[in-house]
């Protein structure tokens, strides 16, 4: 039996071997921060001098990425006179799309659902999968459309937030000397904010040029994020560390322009076909002619993605896939395998069987594709095959990545799960060999869930009963992942203990914005001062989240940021809660939120909260 013909059990065994090899690697899996939160270096825009603000506003949003933009927009619609403030460390709106300007940056989720508020702003995405500059421009479009620029304080990092019990308002202090109060506070700083480097010996000793993908130095590499040639690399030997979703996108650009490119791999990504294409304006105008089109597309995408959750109720429904991207196709394959089972097998166990079989088929096809594409170097082809279930790591889609390894100037240094073990003044050391290079690019990702929420925020939130760090010392606690007891009028916009719908992150924010806007509207129209979560409701939500069937798959997975580098705890949420979501899945969670908000607006009772 060839390796490509492994049956399910043999595959499982191979996956376990590959996982264990990585978990047991002597170098370990340690990271360190590139910068401390609040002390980021902006290479794109100069800091504009301004006077500190010392006033009071109604609504403050920390974070000017998609979550801040969407929520502010919805709050403005709900409470037209709301006095809003948006704070961000960056020099403009955009969040991850402001910082991540590496060449080739694009989104793996179809633009028709990934780019929020398309209908409201009237924008037609140019391509099925949009490139980074277009997405960043869209964040700015939202800012202009909703007149949010006048509310923004850029290059501003919050240093402390505390509850003023007399005023019943939050006091916000920043690194620009601002000191103001706000009735409501929303924190939406995103999961990919704190860039990390591998914590390997000698990392500071390198004498050449080194930077992280989220701080791309075009002044050195030449070119720009819109695709201009990276002329500065024409005579350079470049190393890139990491082969995750970011690296998959920038390696093809580096391969085109670097004299030599060495790709240091610890674990390969599973790279499926992308098939990007321009959006036909005629087709788009027909789609967009129907009011409410984007919400229908979003609901369609969410429903189809929910098939990956293994819930029998969803699998028998008929879906007309509007989006047809890599994610929806991945989910629908599960359904088609389920429907191919014998009638007596179509039961809850059958759903799990369908997930497993469909994954085996897909990952085998992706591995076979490596052999089809990478023909110049069979050893590289072997090294580029991913031996884990597709959803253990972020699935990736690209039509130029694997092809790079046929180029004479590109070499895969597959460290067989061990990683780069040392940086030297002149280069890297891996698998017992030195590699001298001029440049090291770190595509090593972001601090995700192995540290506390407040540590990644870079500031403490002190409520009437104490700090958020203490409140979450044993793991995140919340109602709906959005409010937490003892922190009145504070909203968090994030994925954990909520839908955890990672295939389309902005969709989570659209739903939470609806709920936040509903609460704020009710409170403002009815003269209310505070909303807090009841202990009973928070406990019940916590129990529900923790009771969610542990995803055995996570346990079996090769280490990475999805499973806290192989240290996921299934009995309680991680400090940031990242590993946990609503057991009913995103469709049910979004419906629960819509009903909760509607009932609250009608009756004044936002279940599980105390409004005063
Ligand atoms: P990741 O954390 O996914 O990848 C980091 C990479 O660095 C991994 O390949 C990791 O290997 C490798 N690495 C770490 N330490 C070492 C070491 N010592 N030696 C060798 N290799 C090492 O970060 P990314 O920036 O790629 O992606 C982060 C997230 O950003 C994604 O999950 C996704 O959510 C988002 N993203 C989204 C995109 C989109 O299309 N919307 C595009 C790009 C990113 P190992 O796998 O072994 O840990």
């Amino acid at each position: 039996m060839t390796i490509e013909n492994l049956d399910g059990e043999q595959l499982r065994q191979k996956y376990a071997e590959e996982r264990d090899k990585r978990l047991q690697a002597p170098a370990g899996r340690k990271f360190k921060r590139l910068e401390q939160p609040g002390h980021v270096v902006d290479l794109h825009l100069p800091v504009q001098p301004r006077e500190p603000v010392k006033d009071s506003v109604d609504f403050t949003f920390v974070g000017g990425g998609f979550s801040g933009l969407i929520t502010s927009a919805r709050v403005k619609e709900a409470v037209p006179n709301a006095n809003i403030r948006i704070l961000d460390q960056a020099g403009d709106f955009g969040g991850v799309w402001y910082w991540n300007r590496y060449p080739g940056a694009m989104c793996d989720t179809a633009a028709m659902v990934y780019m929020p508020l398309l209908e409201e702003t009237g924008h037609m995405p140019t391509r099925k999968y949009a490139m980074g500059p277009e997405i960043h421009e869209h964040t700015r479009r939202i800012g202009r459309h909703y007149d949010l620029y006048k509310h923004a304080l850029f290059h501003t990092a919050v240093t402390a937030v505390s509850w003023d019990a007399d005023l019943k308002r939050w006091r916000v202090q920043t690194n620009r000397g601002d000191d103001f109060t706000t009735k409501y506070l929303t924190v939406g700083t995103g999961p990919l904010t704190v860039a990390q480097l591998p914590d390997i010996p000698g990392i500071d000793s390198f004498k050449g040029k080194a930077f992280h993908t989220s701080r791309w130095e075009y002044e050195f590499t030449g070119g720009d994020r819109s695709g201009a040639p990276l002329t500065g690399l024409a005579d350079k030997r470049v190393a890139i560390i990491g082969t995750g979703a970011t690296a998959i996108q920038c390696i093809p650009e580096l391969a085109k322009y670097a004299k030599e490119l060495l790709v240091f791999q610890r674990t390969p990504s599973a790279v499926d076909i992308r098939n990007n294409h321009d959006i036909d304006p005629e087709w788009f105008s027909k789609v967009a002619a129907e009011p409410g089109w984007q919400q229908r597309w979003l609901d369609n995408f969410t429903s189809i993605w929910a098939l990956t959750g293994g819930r029998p109720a969803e699998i028998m429904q008929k879906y007309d896939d509007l989006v047809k991207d890599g994610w929806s196709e991945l989910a629908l394959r599960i359904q088609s395998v389920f429907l191919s089972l014998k009638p007596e097998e179509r039961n809850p166990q059958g759903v799990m069987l369908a997930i497993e079989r469909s994954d085996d088929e897909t990952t085998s096809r992706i591995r076979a594709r490596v052999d089809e594409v990478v023909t110049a170097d069979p050893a590289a082809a072997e090294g580029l095959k991913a031996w884990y279930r597709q959803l253990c790591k972020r699935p990736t889609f690209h039509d130029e990545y694997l092809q790079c390894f046929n180029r004479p100037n590109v070499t895969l240094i597959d460290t067989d799960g061990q990683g780069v073990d040392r940086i030297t003044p002149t280069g890297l050391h891996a698998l017992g060999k030195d590699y001298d290079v001029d440049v090291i690019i770190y595509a090593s990702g972001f601090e995700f869930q192995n540290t506390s929420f407040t540590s990644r925020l870079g500031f403490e939130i002190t409520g009437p009963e104490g700090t958020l760090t203490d409140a979450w010392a044993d793991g995140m606690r919340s109602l709906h992942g959005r409010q937490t007891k003892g922190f009145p009028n504070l909203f968090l916009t994030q994925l954990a203990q909520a839908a955890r719908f990672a295939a389309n992150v902005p969709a989570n924010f659209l739903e939470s914005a609806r709920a936040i806007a509903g609460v704020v509207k009710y409170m403002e129209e009815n003269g209310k001062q505070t909303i807090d979560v009841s202990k009973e409701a928070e406990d019940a939500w916590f129990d529900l989240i923790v009771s969610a069937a542990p995803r055995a798959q996570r346990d079996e997975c090769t280490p990475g940021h999805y499973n806290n580098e192989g240290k996921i705890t299934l009995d309680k949420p991680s400090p940031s809660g990242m590993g946990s979501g609503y057991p009913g899945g995103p469709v049910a969670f979004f419906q629960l939120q819509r009903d909760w908000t509607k009932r609250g607006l009608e009756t004044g009772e936002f279940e599980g909260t105390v409004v005063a």
Side-chain angles (χ1 to χ4, degrees):
M1 182 170 286
T2 69
I3 210 156
E4 296 310 338
N5 289 331
L6 296 178
D7 67 24
E9 199 36 55
Q10 289 165 315
L11 264 183
R12 232 62 66 230
Q13 213 176 314
K14 170 80 175 152
Y15 290 179
E17 281 164 23
E18 293 289 328
R19 176 204 59 203
D20 293 347
K21 193 193 283 179
R22 286 166 176 79
L23 285 172
Q24 290 153 13
R29 308 182 61 82
K30 294 184 287 261
F31 293 95
K32 63 176 195 173
R33 288 177 171 175
L34 174 72
E35 307 143 327
Q36 288 307 319
H39 298 271
V40 298
V41 178
D42 185 354
L43 302 171
H44 312 302
L45 289 171
V47 177
Q48 300 296 339
R50 66 168 175 83
E51 290 301 312
V53 297
K54 307 215 180 221
D55 57 3
S56 60
V57 294
D58 301 323
F59 195 95
T60 296
F61 206 99
V62 184
F66 274 136
S67 67
L69 289 162
I70 293 167
T71 315
S72 307
R74 292 297 187 230
V75 165
K76 275 192 103 163
E77 286 169 350
V79 186
N81 300 327
N83 187 359
I84 287 174
R85 177 157 291 150
I86 305 172
L87 307 171
D88 201 294
Q89 301 184 82
D92 198 347
F93 289 129
V96 283
W97 298 104
Y98 178 89
W99 295 106
N100 286 273
R101 300 183 184 212
Y102 58 84
M106 61 181 120
C107 186
D108 287 336
T109 306
M112 295 286 278
V113 286
Y114 180 78
M115 290 169 78
L117 308 174
L118 286 177
E119 193 166 349
E120 288 84 342
T121 56
H123 176 66
M124 179 192 87
T126 60
R127 312 211 75 204
K128 177 165 181 173
Y129 300 98
M131 299 297 291
E134 178 173 345
I135 302 172
H136 185 206
E137 185 50 35
H138 187 58
T139 64
R140 307 184 54 199
R141 179 178 299 110
I142 296 169
R144 292 189 298 270
H145 183 85
Y146 288 94
D147 202 12
L148 298 176
Y149 272 94
K150 68 177 185 213
H151 303 298
L153 295 179
F154 294 121
H155 285 138
T156 301
V158 174
T159 49
V161 164
S162 53
W163 180 253
D164 185 319
D166 295 332
L167 296 176
K168 290 197 170 40
R169 296 171 74 86
W170 290 101
R171 177 180 177 199
V172 180
Q173 292 165 285
T174 79
N175 65 345
R176 301 292 296 270
D178 308 311
D179 192 346
F180 61 94
T181 65
T182 181
K183 181 169 176 183
Y184 306 99
L185 179 72
T186 297
V187 176
T189 48
L192 307 173
T193 311
V194 183
Q196 65 181 12
L197 298 170
D199 191 6
I200 46 184
I203 190 157
D204 298 322
S205 71
F206 182 59
K207 299 272 182 263
K209 186 69 168 172
F211 56 85
H212 188 272
T213 43
S214 67
R215 303 285 183 273
W216 197 275
E217 297 200 21
Y218 282 106
E219 230 169 72
F220 178 83
T221 64
D224 61 31
R225 62 172 170 161
S226 301
L230 307 172
T231 49
L233 299 181
D235 59 350
K236 301 286 185 295
R237 197 165 195 244
V238 179
I240 182 162
I241 299 185
T243 46
T246 297
I248 299 308
Q249 297 182 347
C250 68
I251 282 172
E253 296 304 304
L254 290 168
K256 273 188 229 164
Y257 301 113
K259 179 173 155 226
E260 222 186 313
L261 177 64
L262 308 181
V263 177
F264 286 83
Q265 173 180 276
R266 186 163 67 184
T267 311
S269 275
V271 188
D272 209 346
I273 294 164
R274 173 179 281 273
N275 272 338
N276 203 3
H277 59 75
D278 289 348
I279 287 189
D280 173 10
E282 217 174 293
W283 170 83
F284 181 81
S285 61
K286 275 192 204 134
V287 172
E290 300 230 357
W293 75 265
Q294 202 184 23
Q295 190 58 56
R296 264 196 305 285
W297 276 60
L298 284 161
D299 290 344
N300 177 265
F301 187 70
T302 313
S303 305
I304 291 176
W305 181 252
L307 288 168
T308 60
R311 286 170 294 272
E314 283 147 355
I315 205 143
M316 291 306 289
Q317 285 174 38
K318 204 171 162 351
Y319 300 95
D320 176 18
D321 185 6
L322 297 173
V323 178
K324 294 190 183 72
D325 73 353
W327 305 92
S328 64
E329 284 166 9
L330 182 163
L332 283 172
R333 276 196 293 273
I334 294 171
Q335 185 182 44
S336 103
V337 173
F338 180 80
L339 295 177
S340 74
L341 296 177
K342 293 186 203 116
E344 63 271 23
E345 287 178 329
R346 292 190 204 157
N347 50 34
Q349 290 80 5
V351 183
M352 301 319 289
L353 184 71
I355 290 179
E356 204 159 283
R357 272 200 201 153
S358 140
D359 189 78
D360 290 352
E361 281 171 24
T362 305
T363 53
S364 300
R365 178 178 55 72
I366 291 173
R367 284 187 289 270
R369 177 172 177 245
V370 179
D371 282 330
E372 280 160 31
V373 175
V374 184
T375 49
D377 182 352
E382 220 37 57
L384 288 162
K385 290 177 187 165
W387 294 105
Y388 48 82
R389 285 169 174 273
Q390 197 182 13
L391 295 182
C392 281
K393 283 190 177 279
R394 189 159 204 290
T396 65
F397 308 90
H398 211 286
D399 295 334
E400 290 169 56
Y401 174 72
L402 292 171
Q403 289 77 351
C404 294
F405 297 92
N406 289 327
R407 299 177 71 113
N409 66 328
V410 178
T411 309
L412 178 74
I413 315 289
D414 179 23
T415 64
D416 195 28
Q418 307 304 296
V420 171
D421 49 34
R422 202 161 69 233
I423 304 286
T424 68
T426 54
L428 306 87
H429 184 92
L431 287 182
K433 220 177 136 189
D434 279 318
Y435 298 87
D436 285 353
V437 295
D438 303 303
V439 190
I440 302 178
I441 299 172
Y442 291 99
S444 42
F446 303 87
E447 207 169 284
F448 195 64
Q449 61 172 330
N450 49 342
T451 49
S452 74
F453 183 76
T454 41
S455 141
R456 278 178 290 113
L457 274 183
F459 60 89
E460 186 58 90
I461 302 179
T462 308
E465 298 163 18
T467 66
L468 188 59
T469 305
D470 286 345
W472 287 9
D474 290 327
M476 174 181 177
R477 298 186 80 86
S478 77
L479 177 66
H480 305 158
R482 199 176 49 249
Q483 287 174 264
T484 186
K485 193 204 158 295
F487 298 85
N489 297 5
L490 171 71
F491 304 101
L492 308 170
T493 55
Q494 50 86 52
L495 276 55
Q497 300 192 3
R500 212 170 56 81
F501 179 28
N504 192 12
V505 171
N508 299 267
F509 303 148
L510 284 163
E511 295 292 333
S512 59
R514 192 198 304 260
I516 293 169
V519 169
V520 173
K521 182 178 168 62
Y522 173 81
M523 290 182 60
E524 291 307 294
E525 288 177 357
N526 293 278
K528 301 293 180 189
Q529 288 305 305
T530 56
I531 179 166
D532 199 354
V533 175
S534 76
K535 178 157 178 10
E536 298 71 38
E538 189 177 78
D539 287 348
W541 192 256
F542 183 85
D543 291 345
L544 179 71
I545 296 291
V546 174
S547 75
R551 294 177 55 148
Q553 190 185 332
R554 287 288 152 92
D555 234 2
E556 292 164 7
C557 278
T558 193
H561 69 264
Y562 275 11
N563 66 356
N564 194 15
E565 305 303 323
K567 287 182 286 191
I568 195 128
T569 42
L570 291 168
D571 57 334
K572 64 171 194 179
S574 66
S576 61
M578 273 323 247
S580 51
Y582 181 65
V587 174
F589 180 77
F590 291 164
Q591 194 53 51
L592 182 147
Q593 292 299 278
R594 291 175 197 181
D595 294 344
W596 180 88
T597 309
K598 187 163 173 283
R599 257 197 322 274
L601 277 165
E602 285 167 3
T603 65
E605 199 206 334
F606 291 90
E607 206 182 325
T609 68
V610 182
V611 178

